[in-house]
Amino acid sequence: MEELIKCTKCLELKPKMDFTRRLNRKSGHRSSCRVCSNIVSNNYKKSKEGLIRRILIQQIRSSKQRAHNPPNYSLDEFRDWFYSQDNFEKLYLDWVASEYNKNLVPSVDRIDDLKPYSFENIRLITWAENVKKSHLDKVNGVTGRDMKTVYQYDKDLIFITSYHSTSYAAKQIGVSQTNISKRCLKYPKMSCGFYWTYNRLH
């Protein structure tokens, strides 16, 4: 006969398979069943503390993917920042009232997407607003996974400026991105009256 374990949350006797294994426990399993553990976990994620912790973890992960420095604040400092924002309480209550609609979840946006997370470069908005801004930034060439710095030179190969992507350079000059990207090789090529390259010459 299969051994039963009593869940400390719902107080029901359930088979071992309904409990997550925990080798550091005498029983070898968690004291609460999977169903109760999931309820506790989901409730924590929807709490203010859980939301703040989850956002910071996402920021650390995103910074690593973008090769940025990690956020320059601790969890305690980040929590203090959250509670100091005038719109946090309203955003949170609106999210709860919507029955946790993803579009209304409080979200932290980097004001300048090219810079890492810092208190000077973040603001609190909804997830939907953040997604909309991110989409506009990609359309305008302000951000994107395929970004690569491009350097612009005049006809005498005198450096003019640099852009963080060919799409952003194209928008600033007022030409097609293809006109620039096809000429950004190891050695500079001319397009639209300028020389372009991915490697700075001097």
Side-chain angles (χ1 to χ4, degrees):
M1 182 177 178
E2 185 176 5
E3 180 183 354
L4 300 178
I5 301 176
K6 187 176 183 179
C7 173
T8 57
K9 294 293 183 181
C10 64
L11 304 180
E12 293 183 15
L13 288 173
K14 296 183 177 182
K16 280 187 176 181
M17 63 179 295
D18 287 352
F19 294 78
T20 304
R21 290 181 59 81
R22 284 290 185 272
L23 298 180
N24 61 339
R25 291 183 177 274
K26 186 176 181 180
S27 66
H29 295 79
R30 293 191 63 167
S31 59
S32 58
C33 67
R34 296 177 189 272
V35 173
C36 290
S37 295
N38 287 338
I39 292 174
V40 171
S41 176
N42 288 333
N43 287 339
Y44 176 72
K45 289 178 180 179
K46 294 173 182 177
S47 70
K48 292 179 180 179
E49 293 296 309
L51 173 67
I52 294 170
R53 179 184 290 274
R54 181 156 48 94
I55 290 177
L56 181 57
I57 292 174
Q58 291 171 343
Q59 289 181 354
I60 295 173
R61 185 182 299 118
S62 175
S63 297
K64 186 176 181 179
Q65 293 173 343
R66 294 169 178 265
H68 284 176
N69 291 327
N72 63 357
Y73 37 77
S74 66
L75 175 59
D76 287 340
E77 292 170 332
F78 191 46
R79 183 186 298 110
D80 290 341
W81 176 86
F82 248 94
Y83 284 107
S84 71
Q85 302 305 297
D86 294 336
N87 61 339
F88 176 47
E89 189 68 19
K90 183 179 185 306
L91 288 178
Y92 180 79
L93 292 178
D94 286 347
W95 179 48
V96 174
S98 72
E99 297 184 351
Y100 306 101
N101 185 315
K102 184 178 181 180
N103 288 324
L104 297 180
V105 61
S107 176
V108 174
D109 167 55
R110 279 177 300 158
I111 299 170
D112 185 341
D113 199 54
L114 298 176
K115 296 180 180 179
Y117 289 101
S118 67
F119 288 140
E120 296 75 25
N121 192 42
I122 59 175
R123 60 173 181 159
L124 191 58
I125 58 178
T126 66
W127 185 85
E129 291 171 327
N130 206 339
V131 170
K132 182 178 180 179
K133 176 178 177 290
S134 177
H135 174 70
L136 290 175
D137 283 348
K138 289 179 181 179
V139 170
N140 293 325
V142 175
T143 185
R145 293 180 180 273
D146 58 346
M147 285 194 308
K148 189 174 183 180
T149 302
V150 56
Y151 299 93
Q152 179 187 17
Y153 296 84
D154 67 12
K155 59 184 179 61
D156 297 317
L157 289 180
I158 296 175
F159 175 71
I160 299 176
T161 189
S162 63
Y163 303 92
H164 52 261
S165 69
T166 54
S167 59
Y168 185 69
K171 287 185 177 295
Q172 297 302 304
I173 300 300
V175 299
S176 168
Q177 179 182 354
T178 305
N179 290 336
I180 297 177
S181 60
K182 282 189 175 181
R183 288 155 180 82
C184 288
L185 305 174
K186 184 176 181 180
Y187 301 102
K189 298 288 185 178
M190 179 168 275
S191 174
C192 309
F194 302 100
Y195 282 101
W196 304 90
T197 179
Y198 285 132
N199 301 309
R200 183 157 184 172
L201 303 180
H202 47 73

